[in-house]
Amino acid sequence: KRLILIGPPGSGKGTQSPIIKDEYCLCHLATGDMLRAAVAAKTPLGIKAKEAMNKGELVSDDLVVDIIDEAMKKPSCQKGFILDGFPRTVVQAEKLDEMLQKQGAKIDKVLNFAIDDAILEERITGRWIHPSSGRTYHTKFQPPKVPGVDDVTGEPLIQRKDDTAEVLKSRLDAFHRQTEPVINYYSTKGVVASLHAEKPPKEVTTEVKNVLSS
Ligand code: AP5
Ligand code: ZN
């Protein structure tokens, strides 16, 4: 399957991705995770992306299109993939269409993580992540066994630099202005399924599985 996950910051894309990935043996391509790794490693890409990310603005279409183009060539992505955080502009969606057309492939489903903005601040400001695995926790909704420590490796958890109430406002603004039109773009193709993303994680997983098995 070839899937796209679209939703505002904190809507649960990164939480559901590992579950869907394991269930359907897909590769998980998260542009935000890839960009954060590039920033941490201070690569030329990371240096270009850092400022926009810290302000909660989108990085340029060219940068992310190149990352995805490269990543989709991996053998592990040939059977199918989950795009988490891409495409985020209509230009990115059009570029993705071109890439897929070359391979004779198409998107099977776009999962729309529909949720009210008001819920997102608490989710974002309580999030803790384990950077190397991408595992995500929440102080209230998904607490680790030991506070500040990854359940599996025992390594320390960190908070994302853009996970403040202030930067969230810009991220939401970018979502409504630049990414919501992408949902309409795919609606006209008849591939969008909307989820009740405000529900607890397990219930969202059930909705996802129902959509993908129908
Ligand atoms: P990115 O990393 O994609 O961030 P985002 O879209 O803002 O999304 P988040 O990762 O914040 O939310 P999520 O939906 O994954 O939430 P999660 O599951 O972790 O992008 C970051 C930046 O990179 C962008 O601002 C931009 O600068 C740049 N960028 C990336 N892609 C780009 C692109 N294509 N073009 C241009 N720029 C790009 O959940 C959040 C919290 O809530 C967690 O703590 C979790 O435990 C908890 N939680 C999850 N689900 C539930 C639930 N159902 N109930 C209760 N709590 C829950
Ligand atoms: Zn995420």
Side-chain angles (χ1 to χ4, degrees):
K1 286 193 191 302
R2 294 182 178 84
L3 310 175
I4 292 174
L5 274 44
I6 298 189
S11 57
K13 305 178 296 292
T15 299
Q16 298 298 326
S17 287
I19 305 168
I20 312 172
K21 174 187 158 181
D22 291 346
E23 181 90 9
Y24 298 92
C25 298
L26 306 174
C27 78
H28 176 210
L29 301 176
T31 39
D33 292 349
M34 296 186 231
L35 290 168
R36 275 184 292 282
V39 171
K42 298 193 168 74
T43 65
L45 167 70
I47 290 161
K48 284 186 204 148
K50 185 175 177 181
E51 202 189 323
M53 292 180 76
N54 286 345
K55 284 196 286 190
E57 294 167 5
L58 296 186
V59 310
S60 77
D61 289 333
D62 292 344
L63 288 184
V64 285
V65 167
D66 284 350
I67 310 180
I68 287 290
D69 197 16
E70 204 48 50
M72 284 201 324
K73 288 177 189 151
K74 285 191 292 190
S76 61
C77 296
Q78 297 311 308
K79 282 206 309 200
F81 51 71
I82 303 167
L83 294 176
D84 165 0
F86 180 93
R88 246 180 163 92
T89 63
V90 171
V91 171
Q92 291 176 20
E94 289 166 350
K95 293 273 197 241
L96 175 63
D97 274 350
E98 284 172 28
M99 286 182 231
L100 292 173
Q101 257 161 28
K102 280 185 205 151
Q103 306 174 16
K106 65 172 183 54
I107 295 298
D108 296 301
K109 272 281 181 255
V110 174
L111 300 175
N112 173 26
F113 284 65
I115 189 165
D116 200 280
D117 283 5
I119 305 179
L120 299 171
E121 183 177 321
E122 189 180 21
R123 285 205 191 169
I124 286 292
T125 54
R127 169 164 59 187
W128 287 81
I129 56 172
H130 178 243
S132 62
S133 70
R135 270 185 290 279
T136 299
Y137 301 88
H138 190 283
T139 44
K140 185 164 154 192
F141 306 126
Q142 280 185 318
K145 291 186 190 116
V146 180
V149 175
D150 178 46
D151 287 353
V152 179
T153 61
E155 288 166 2
L157 301 176
I158 61 156
Q159 286 194 291
R160 265 168 58 175
K161 216 173 167 192
D162 59 347
D163 275 353
T164 62
E166 196 54 38
V167 178
L168 175 62
K169 289 195 190 110
S170 320
R171 290 161 64 195
L172 280 173
D173 186 56
F175 175 77
H176 292 303
R177 283 189 298 114
Q178 295 171 278
T179 307
E180 264 176 355
V182 177
I183 302 173
N184 301 335
Y185 176 90
Y186 287 109
S187 291
T188 62
K189 298 176 190 278
V191 291
V192 177
S194 290
L195 309 170
H196 295 90
E198 77 288 352
K199 289 185 181 172
K202 285 206 174 87
E203 292 181 35
V204 178
T205 303
T206 305
E207 284 195 15
V208 170
K209 288 184 180 168
N210 288 342
V211 167
L212 296 183
S213 64
S214 64

